[in-house]
Amino acid sequence: QNFTELNDAYVKKFGFPFIIAVRDAGGKANILAAFNTRINNSREAEFTTACKQVERIAWYRLKDLLPA
C-alpha cells in the first residue's frame, strides 16, 4: 500500500490524520512500518500515540527556535 491509501484508511478508522515526528522516524520504510503497526491500535491507544507525536514535533520546533 502507498502512503495515500494508508492515510485514507487511517483517517477512516480514527477520524484524524496519521501524525509522526519524521525526525525520529528513520526514513520512509520506518514510517510505512509505523503506519502498518499503528492502524491496528484501538482509537484510544492511537489518540495517545498521536498526541505524543504532536508533543515531539512541538519539542523539535521549539528547539529549533531557541538558542543553544
Side-chain angles (χ1 to χ4, degrees), residues 12-67:
K12 184 176 180 181
K13 180 174 181 178
F14 297 115
F16 51 88
F18 182 78
I19 300 168
I20 192 165
V22 174
R23 291 188 198 184
D24 291 340
K28 288 182 182 180
N30 289 345
I31 294 170
L32 187 60
F35 247 125
N36 284 306
T37 299
R38 289 172 51 186
I39 201 158
N40 294 312
N41 286 344
S42 67
R43 188 176 194 287
E44 181 180 345
E46 189 52 29
F47 187 76
T48 299
T49 300
C51 287
K52 288 179 183 177
Q53 291 296 305
V54 169
E55 291 170 0
R56 194 75 180 147
I57 292 164
W59 180 83
Y60 277 120
R61 289 182 180 176
L62 283 170
K63 186 179 174 199
D64 288 345
L65 290 173
L66 299 173

